[in-house]
Amino acid sequence: VDLTEFGGGSVQSGGSLNLSCSVSGYTWSGYCFGWFRQAPGKEREGIAAIALDGRTKYADSVKGRFTLSRDKDGSTLHLQMNSVDPDDTGKYFCAAGHGGTWCVIRSDFLESLYRYWGQGTQVTVSS
């Protein structure tokens, strides 16, 4: 499975940004997808996940502001980021793991369950 993120950049506080993740090299069934981010000097954290059936899960830090969706053919994930603030600054990663629903059933975002990772895209939010 190959994952490529794009859409990062600089945005002012209160603005919006849309990140995408191109997915290739997998069959439609049997994968969970997630978005993670790593701020400077901090550990990487999970922020959103989407299951095979379309159910989503969000970290409290982004709930109500970020929306994760997937194209019908499963080839691209979209992370719509609204009302961003400087705390959203970081490198954003797309990830995939085998299994269709665990990513939204679990309360955490356990990185070890995500086997495939993109290279990340930088998001910088200025105040």
Side-chain angles (χ1 to χ4, degrees):
V1 179
D2 294 315
L3 306 168
T4 305
E5 307 91 341
F6 51 98
S10 298
V11 60
Q12 288 192 330
S13 183
S16 298
L17 203 62
N18 188 286
L19 303 184
S20 296
C21 174
S22 176
V23 185
S24 62
Y26 82 114
T27 56
W28 172 245
S29 62
Y31 283 87
C32 259
F33 294 92
W35 279 92
F36 291 74
R37 69 184 180 189
Q38 186 166 23
K42 294 186 178 179
E43 293 186 356
R44 189 160 56 187
E45 63 170 342
I47 58 172
I50 188 166
L52 176 65
D53 60 6
R55 284 182 290 167
T56 54
K57 180 181 76 178
Y58 300 93
D60 289 343
S61 59
V62 306
K63 196 174 295 182
R65 300 187 298 122
F66 291 11
T67 302
L68 177 56
S69 61
R70 181 180 59 207
D71 286 357
K72 287 184 178 180
D73 64 0
S75 64
T76 308
L77 305 174
H78 302 281
L79 183 68
Q80 177 64 40
M81 305 166 57
N82 296 328
S83 302
V84 297
D85 62 48
D87 288 340
D88 294 318
T89 293
K91 194 167 188 179
Y92 284 67
F93 299 88
C94 177
H98 295 284
T101 59
W102 54 264
C103 54
V104 296
I105 294 174
R106 295 180 63 93
S107 60
D108 60 3
F109 292 87
L110 188 57
E111 287 193 25
S112 61
L113 295 179
Y114 291 88
R115 180 175 179 181
Y116 307 98
W117 291 80
Q119 294 300 306
T121 186
Q122 179 67 35
V123 172
T124 302
V125 182
S126 58
S127 56

